[in-house]
Amino acid sequence: MFQSSSLCSADLGAGPTAAARSLSLRGSWRIRSGNGSLELPGRVPGCVHSALFQRGLIQDPYYRFNDLKYRWISLDNWTYSKKFQIPFNISKWQKVNLIFEGVDTVAKILLNSVPIGKTDNMFKRYSFDITTVVRNVNSLELRFQSPVLYAAQRSKAHTSYWVPPDCPPPVQKGQCHVNFIRKEQSSFSWDWGPSFPTQGIWKDVRIEAYNICHLNFFTFSPIYDNHTQGWNLEIESSFDVVSPKPISGQVIVAIPKLQTQQTYSIELQPGERIVELFVKINKNATVETWWPHGHGNQTGYNMTVLFKLDGGLSIEKSAKVYFRTVELIEESIEGSQGLSFYFKINGLPIFLKGSNWIPADSFQDRVTSDLLRLLLQSAVDANMNTLRVWGGGIYEQDEFYRLCDELGIMVWQDFMFACALYPTDQGFLDSVRTEVAHQRDKTRPFIISSPTNGAESIEEGWLSANPYDKNFGDVHFYDYSNDCWNWKIFPKARFVSEYGYQSWPSFSTLEKVSSENDWSYNSEFSLHRQHHAGGNNEMLLQIGFHFKLPKNTDPLQTFKDTIYLTQVMQAQCVKIETEFYRRSRSEIVDGKGHTMGALYWQLNDIWQGPSWASLEYGGKWKMLHYFARHFFAPLLPVGFEDQDAFFIYGVSDLHSDCKATLTVRVHTWNSLEPLCSSETERFVMEAGKAVLLYKEQVPALLGRCGNCTRQSCVVSFYLSTDNQLVSPTNHHFLSSLNETVGLQKAHITANISQQGDTFVFDLETSAVAPFVWLDVGSIPGRFSDNGFLMTEKTRTILFYPWKPTSKSELEQSFHVTSLTDTY
């Protein structure tokens, strides 16, 4: 949705009353506590916690146990106030509005001591008519109520039926009754984040004054007409007409690059009015469609919409238009019960590869455009094409969606409800109705929840008997007790929109918010930071299935080694699970399959602690994110075992068939030379398919490679094509890594050099090294690859810094770890 600000203008001949004026109230405000004992300056957009931190009145809220220490902030009732002068003659305007794009959350608003309205929904835009109250010099106050106390009051007043859950699990150290307040649900705590129920003005605030009429907002939707085989554009504009008489005029819509310009006559009656326009795109123009990342370009077209109205009044809006079609396909599948669940973009079935997005910070004023670009660029750099904006967070800022358009990221947008029932009293429903109308684009496919049985859920009266039915819709799947290397535990579902395993962030990330006493796996800090019941032990359990637990005599090194192993475990678990989903896209086995989406939980972190994320707080890549870059590659060989047979599937997201060759190599753990190598005959890799390429009994494979056992050897394999497109090199472990024979302690060195803005790490190893992890501490940036299996003596890796750095800084910070370093 595109909001207008001061969009009205007029030529001088129209007189001084024809223009609109806008005054931003962003910037410096005053904040005071409930009893007035504390008063300080604060920024808008912003929140109380940020203001207190910026003034040095509190430490970093994320430091150690400060989420508990600073509970008093959320329990107080704070007031925001601002004195301001109107820089134009206020008496010459027919209508003056005070606009809040986002208030967090429950507040009474007074202008010049006169109550003008209330807010109770963080996700709504509020507009208050202040025409009769505003003066040349004004005082504005927002008297906030503690969201924690408000939620408790609303829950207590709701006596007709129980609305669970009352409180989060104790391990989350959270606040209760979050489902009674229309606020970021995770701000009261979650299993990956802290409880910081903020108060403040979190989005834009401004005064708008106008005569005759005002454009409140306009939206547009590209529509493809299959009958005429042409593109159209539906534009909807909302006006506030304050003129006592109807206003006539013209609308000119122009998209120059598509040789499209159309003019419409309109008449606006007094009051709130909607103008709908239907624009036919010139059929002689070639419309380039927007494609998800990895499938084509993200072409957009500049459009201007100019309203030329009576009295010389002119209103202009510009926007970028992207043309694409989106279809959710739910239809019967041969050989299977149930329905498909996949998306066609521009008529092409697309396998959705990606993750789930949570708020990037507990304090939204910290979420800058640069941070969003860093996180979203990291998603596409890992070959993702989709992010699900999870329903316990926020509807993201406009910049988030603009960047997704630019980068080719499809957005699965949740409404902001999560893991709870909600009250259905009229006031709550009215608030939600306004919120939903404000947030939704009406052309999108819509499902009732996630997970859901899709169309079947509707057939079942909107409440599924079995919401985890693998024959319909999307599925969430978590299993921390069974061995994640066993692909048979995973659901062969139509679409998997949540799944994952936890890990700890790197030591350099934790170090910033902890002290020396905290640096052990079972410290009070480590237990406090873990908000998922039994999470720390579940990670050790999964590690123990296949790896040796570290036993270094130095407690700090043991902690660092354990962190490393949690990342190894997480990366390997999610790799095996994701590869299972990708190879299931083209097959039905026992009625199950045709999996067409894998969105792991979760992309990003909200603070420095253990979680399911592949990006640490601040954007540093965990090992999982490097693995994702491989397991989401457009062309991928996937290896797995079943009943002592080794299979390799080829998975293609390409739009056209390609001729390819599969190379399979066997290495011993004690040699940097491959033991044997074989190459298939050239075959046709079908576009958009997953097909079996190779099958061999493991004893036969080992037998033809000489002195090889499951414990002494490892298999690697890759695809190469005519036009030199090469898949990532994948590998398959024939035994657990704690059972290997011949694996030696690897001595790995790096020679660092600079080429332009990029740094080159020339690595050399003395032995085969699994899970080689290159780390440069807190220097921001990412490597071209990491966490890899090094089976050759030398390898070159690039480092892409996100901020200027130097060779000497990198040499000082550089540390390399491989699996045997933890023994």
Side-chain angles (χ1 to χ4, degrees), residues 3-9 18-26 84-90 93 95-101 125 130 134 204-211 214-216:
Q3 308 288 355
S4 71
S5 52
S6 54
L7 299 178
C8 296
S9 62
R21 297 293 297 269
S22 180
L23 172 66
S24 174
L25 298 181
R26 296 166 72 103
F84 63 95
Q85 190 167 349
I86 303 287
F88 46 85
N89 188 341
I90 204 72
W93 301 94
K95 184 81 170 278
V96 184
N97 286 338
L98 174 60
I99 310 290
F100 291 95
E101 295 293 349
R125 175 182 187 264
I130 58 170
V134 70
D204 189 38
V205 53
R206 63 186 180 274
I207 302 283
E208 290 182 344
Y210 51 93
N211 293 322
H214 186 65
L215 177 62
N216 292 325

Side-chain angles (χ1 to χ4, degrees), residues 85 224 249 272 298 333 350 400 407 461 481 552 612 652:
Q85 190 167 349
Y224 186 75
E272 296 281 338
Q298 291 76 49
I333 300 172
I350 301 281
F400 173 90
L407 295 169
S481 56
N552 199 294
W612 294 256
S652 171

Side-chain angles (χ1 to χ4, degrees), residues 290-337:
W290 179 96
W291 285 97
H293 174 68
H295 290 276
N297 297 327
Q298 291 76 49
T299 306
Y301 296 92
N302 293 325
M303 173 181 71
T304 58
V305 182
L306 175 63
F307 296 87
K308 298 179 77 171
L309 304 175
D310 289 346
L313 183 61
S314 178
I315 305 172
E316 184 171 12
K317 187 66 180 172
S318 60
K320 184 155 274 193
V321 184
Y322 297 91
F323 293 88
R324 86 288 171 276
T325 61
V326 180
E327 303 167 83
L328 173 57
I329 308 299
E330 298 181 87
E331 59 191 13
S332 57
I333 300 172
E334 188 178 341
S336 175
Q337 295 180 333

Side-chain angles (χ1 to χ4, degrees), residues 356-598:
N356 286 260
W357 174 272
I358 65 167
D361 206 292
S362 293
F363 314 107
Q364 277 298 309
D365 50 291
R366 291 182 178 181
V367 183
T368 62
S369 177
D370 286 346
L371 176 60
L372 288 175
R373 179 172 285 280
L374 176 69
L375 297 174
L376 294 175
Q377 185 65 53
S378 291
V380 299
D381 285 348
N383 287 309
M384 296 183 185
N385 60 33
T386 305
L387 290 176
R388 172 174 170 241
V389 177
W390 171 72
I394 60 168
Y395 303 98
E396 277 296 334
Q397 53 184 277
D398 289 346
E399 180 69 359
F400 173 90
Y401 300 103
R402 190 193 69 74
L403 286 167
C404 286
D405 285 343
E406 177 191 313
L407 295 169
I409 300 172
M410 295 181 283
V411 176
W412 172 315
Q413 177 68 58
D414 280 8
F415 289 118
M416 290 301 121
F417 303 89
C419 303
L421 295 183
Y422 289 85
T424 55
D425 56 88
Q426 199 56 50
F428 192 89
L429 291 179
D430 288 344
S431 181
V432 167
R433 184 176 288 108
T434 308
E435 167 195 325
V436 166
H438 177 59
Q439 298 292 346
R440 188 169 175 229
D441 187 323
K442 62 187 180 182
T443 65
R444 304 300 192 272
F446 176 82
I447 57 175
I448 61 167
S449 69
S450 182
T452 177
N453 287 347
E456 179 66 13
S457 292
I458 299 171
E459 286 292 314
E460 294 178 21
W462 305 97
L463 191 62
S464 302
N466 175 18
Y468 284 84
D469 192 328
K470 291 187 278 289
N471 293 307
F472 301 95
D474 66 316
V475 164
H476 296 178
F477 180 81
Y478 296 98
D479 183 341
Y480 309 114
S481 56
N482 286 304
D483 180 1
C484 77
W485 286 27
N486 175 15
W487 57 266
K488 293 184 178 181
I489 69 173
F490 304 127
K492 209 170 183 73
R494 307 297 190 214
F495 194 110
V496 189
S497 53
E498 277 192 30
Y499 61 98
Y501 293 83
Q502 278 198 327
S503 71
W504 276 80
S506 58
F507 182 73
S508 61
T509 295
L510 285 172
E511 193 177 19
K512 297 179 179 73
V513 291
S514 58
S515 70
E516 206 169 330
N517 297 334
D518 304 325
W519 298 339
S520 68
Y521 196 74
N522 292 312
S523 69
E524 188 184 351
F525 172 80
S526 293
L527 295 172
H528 174 76
R529 221 68 173 183
Q530 175 57 268
H531 282 199
H532 167 62
N536 287 356
N537 288 333
E538 286 169 355
M539 283 185 268
L540 296 181
L541 175 69
Q542 283 293 338
I543 292 168
F545 285 140
H546 300 287
F547 303 96
K548 297 176 183 176
L549 292 171
K551 291 187 174 65
N552 199 294
T553 52
D554 175 6
L556 178 57
Q557 191 57 49
T558 297
F559 183 48
K560 290 179 178 179
D561 289 346
T562 306
I563 287 172
Y564 163 80
L565 283 170
T566 67
Q567 292 209 15
V568 169
M569 174 276 297
Q570 180 196 36
Q572 187 69 8
C573 286
V574 178
K575 170 188 187 289
I576 292 167
E577 187 168 355
T578 306
E579 289 182 344
F580 169 74
Y581 298 140
R582 290 199 69 190
R583 67 178 166 86
S584 298
R585 73 174 287 168
S586 303
E587 66 181 14
I588 294 292
V589 178
D590 298 328
K592 304 292 190 294
H594 277 209
T595 307
M596 282 298 287

Side-chain angles (χ1 to χ4, degrees), residues 242-261:
V242 293
S243 165
K245 298 182 297 184
I247 300 170
S248 299
Q250 290 184 323
V251 189
I252 303 165
V253 178
I255 307 176
K257 282 204 171 176
L258 295 179
Q259 299 116 53
T260 297
Q261 180 164 317

